[in-house]
């Protein structure tokens, strides 16, 4: 079965500084990996996805993530944080072992300081 | 594209009543939709997979008679919480899988969620 571990439950950054959200995955097959963002009392918005194409994936709002198979990691980065980036971020994995159902990480809360 | 809506966005009901939540794919047809539950400051928990024209598949520990799912068309799935109790209060989120040549690993797009409060 596949699983995801988000290494930080809470990340606090200053506006204009880089953001790094760490995610490690476990999968016995070729995984698809996703990052979703959830603002308070809202649904989830897809930031980016990896599905066995380019290992460096660019998403919306300046976010990008790099798939590293040797490290089983899929860390999310953004060079310059904006106040609107304050939200909950979920790293998600799916593979054929579970009919491609999504397995969610516990989430990382991002706080942006002015 | 790939917009999913939910209705209502929030609902308050009395204990013992039933509540229906709708999930619609607005600009695509979804043969498969999913229902999740999210407790405060926690991750999403998959409740069931809703397949158009067939019975839903429930995850272990989810009562199928408590949470009735109907996927009557390619754009609509409904979740009915029957005889709701305060412990059913939660944030319910649906998602729809965007079809792409029949491959099952397509991306899921999420609705905005429905907050249910049972008094």
């Amino acid at each position: 079965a596949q699983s995801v571990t988000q290494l930080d439950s809470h990340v606090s950054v200053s506006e204009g500084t880089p953001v790094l959200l760490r995610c490690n995955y476990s999968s016995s097959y070729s995984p698809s990996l996703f990052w979703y963002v959830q603002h308070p009392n809202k649904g989830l918005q897809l930031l980016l996805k990896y599905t066995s194409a380019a290992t460096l994936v660019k998403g919306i709002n300046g976010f990008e993530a790099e798939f590293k198979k040797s490290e089983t990691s899929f860390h999310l980065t953004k060079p310059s944080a904006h106040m609107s980036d304050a939200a909950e971020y979920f790293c998600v994995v799916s593979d054929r072992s579970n009919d491609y159902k999504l397995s969610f990480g516990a989430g990382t809360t991002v706080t942006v300081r002015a | 594209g790939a917009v999913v809506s939910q209705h209502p966005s929030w609902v308050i009901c009395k204990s013992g009543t039933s509540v229906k939540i709708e999930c619609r794919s607005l600009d695509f047809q979804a043969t498969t939709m999913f229902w999740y539950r999210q407790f405060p400051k926690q991750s999403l928990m998959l409740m069931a997979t809703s397949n158009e024209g067939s019975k839903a598949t429930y995850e272990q520990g989810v009562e199928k008679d408590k949470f009735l799912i109907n996927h009557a068309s390619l754009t609509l799935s409904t979740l009915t919480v029957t005889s709701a109790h305060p412990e059913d209060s939660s944030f319910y989120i649906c998602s729809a899988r965007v079809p792409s040549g029949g491959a099952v690993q397509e991306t899921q797009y999420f609705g905005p969620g429905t907050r249910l409060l049972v008094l």
Side-chain angles (χ1 to χ4, degrees):
Chain A
Q2 75 277 43
S3 66
V4 164
T5 301
Q6 290 183 242
L7 301 173
D8 308 289
S9 60
H10 189 201
V11 169
S12 181
V13 298
S14 297
E15 189 175 22
T17 65
V19 181
L20 169 64
L21 304 183
R22 298 181 295 165
C23 172
N24 287 122
Y25 70 91
S26 173
S27 173
S28 300
Y29 302 93
S30 297
S32 294
L33 291 156
F34 309 82
W35 276 98
Y36 286 90
V37 62
Q38 184 180 33
H39 288 90
N41 298 309
K42 301 291 185 183
L44 276 69
Q45 180 184 21
L46 178 67
L47 285 176
L48 49 80
K49 64 179 179 179
Y50 166 79
T51 54
S52 75
T55 56
L56 182 61
V57 182
K58 293 187 182 299
I60 62 172
N61 300 336
F63 286 95
E64 65 179 38
E66 186 171 8
F67 173 73
K68 292 186 176 180
K69 185 175 181 179
S70 61
E71 299 177 10
T72 61
S73 69
F74 190 58
H75 301 336
L76 180 71
T77 60
K78 182 174 180 177
S80 177
H82 190 271
M83 296 299 289
S84 60
D85 294 327
E88 190 79 13
Y89 291 77
F90 293 100
C91 182
V92 182
V93 65
S94 75
D95 67 30
R96 67 178 189 180
S97 70
N98 196 23
D99 294 327
Y100 295 99
K101 295 176 185 176
L102 301 185
S103 292
F104 284 78
T108 298
T109 303
V110 172
T111 302
V112 182
R113 305 183 301 271
Chain B
V3 178
V4 177
S5 71
Q6 278 184 246
H7 178 80
S9 56
W10 59 272
V11 58
I12 301 174
C13 70
K14 293 181 179 180
S15 185
T17 61
S18 294
V19 175
K20 180 184 284 188
I21 302 170
E22 294 185 346
C23 177
R24 294 182 184 272
S25 56
L26 298 185
D27 49 4
F28 64 98
Q29 294 182 329
T31 55
T32 304
M33 292 183 173
F34 302 86
W35 287 96
Y36 296 83
R37 185 173 180 177
Q38 185 180 31
F39 291 103
K41 300 200 181 296
Q42 293 188 25
S43 191
L44 277 71
M45 179 190 77
L46 178 64
M47 298 174 65
T49 303
S50 172
N51 299 296
E52 188 269 335
S54 64
K55 290 183 179 180
T57 304
Y58 291 82
E59 296 299 303
Q60 191 172 10
V62 177
E63 300 175 60
K64 62 181 181 180
D65 296 328
K66 174 76 170 175
F67 300 99
L68 300 180
I69 291 172
N70 183 275
H71 196 152
S73 77
L74 287 171
T75 59
L76 173 65
S77 175
T78 60
L79 168 68
T80 300
V81 183
T82 62
S83 186
H85 291 283
E87 58 266 29
D88 298 324
S89 299
S90 191
F91 194 51
Y92 293 89
I93 306 176
C94 73
S95 71
R97 198 151 58 187
V98 179
S100 175
V104 296
Q105 62 267 45
E106 303 95 338
T107 304
Q108 289 185 30
Y109 290 88
F110 287 80
T114 297
R115 188 161 299 284
L116 170 64
L117 177 61
V118 184
L119 302 176

